[in-house]
Amino acid sequence: MKKTKKIAVAAILAAFGVAILYLGALIEVLDLSVALLASFLILFCMVELGSSVSLSVYLVTALLSLLLLPNKSPALLYAAIFGYMPITKYLFEKTYRWLSWLLKLLLFNVSAVLTGYFGWKMLGFTMENRFGVDPVFVAIFYLVLANAVFIVCDILYSRLVALYLKKYRNTIRK
């Protein structure tokens, strides 16, 4: 693929990612879903354009969404947790299988804890609940649930890449 075509596809993917995240900013219930959906664009970019272009698409999408979105929650989830997952998945899976899972889970947990802490201290997120449960238990429950979502997403990424390469790549290239 020529450089101009790569740049054009990367710009289109970045713009589409910002548009998807903007939808999540408008409908606040979808913030986690749209952050994950926007990361699928990075996955497609990794397969077709490589890691350097994917990293630039991730950075442009994250920066523009953090600057432009009225509700920063989807942008924060994308920038801090889900946006770079396809890139790190590709890089970590070059090692042994158990080591790649360990590295991916470690990176995810560190970024999730830092994002939660940043959101609590800087953005005013709270762990208050109506049930009277201790906020520490709520945070631990969220982290365990987030790890389950991460594992499912990682498996989904692998299956989507296999499906794309097997069925749709040749059709899209024509």
Side-chain angles (χ1 to χ4, degrees), residues 26-164:
L26 293 178
I27 305 169
E28 293 183 14
V29 178
L30 298 177
D31 54 356
L32 182 65
S33 301
V34 296
L36 183 62
L37 186 62
S39 74
F40 289 153
L41 298 173
I42 304 299
L43 183 67
F44 171 75
C45 192
M46 277 296 298
V47 172
E48 287 298 325
L49 304 175
S51 58
S52 62
V53 176
S54 299
L55 183 62
S56 64
V57 170
Y58 158 69
L59 291 173
V60 167
T61 305
L63 182 65
L64 286 176
S65 62
L66 284 169
L67 290 174
L68 298 176
L69 297 185
N71 177 9
K72 304 298 186 213
S73 180
L76 180 63
L77 287 170
Y78 175 80
I81 298 175
F82 289 108
Y84 59 85
M85 273 177 53
I87 300 168
T88 57
K89 176 180 176 52
Y90 172 75
L91 295 175
F92 290 156
E93 286 185 352
K94 288 183 178 181
T95 63
Y96 296 109
R97 185 179 180 107
W98 62 270
L99 183 60
S100 72
W101 274 105
L102 180 70
L103 291 171
K104 289 186 284 189
L105 283 169
L106 181 67
L107 178 65
F108 174 76
N109 282 307
V110 166
S111 63
V113 167
L114 288 176
T115 302
Y117 183 76
F118 173 75
W120 176 52
K121 286 291 189 184
M122 302 296 278
L123 301 176
F125 295 170
T126 63
M127 290 289 188
E128 295 176 4
N129 56 63
R130 291 179 272 176
F131 305 111
V133 180
D134 187 19
V136 173
F137 292 123
V138 173
I140 291 171
F141 176 73
Y142 282 157
L143 193 59
V144 169
L145 190 61
N147 276 293
V149 168
F150 171 77
I151 291 169
V152 169
C153 290
D154 192 79
I155 294 168
L156 179 65
Y157 284 155
S158 298
R159 292 194 178 176
L160 280 175
V161 166
L163 179 71
Y164 172 73

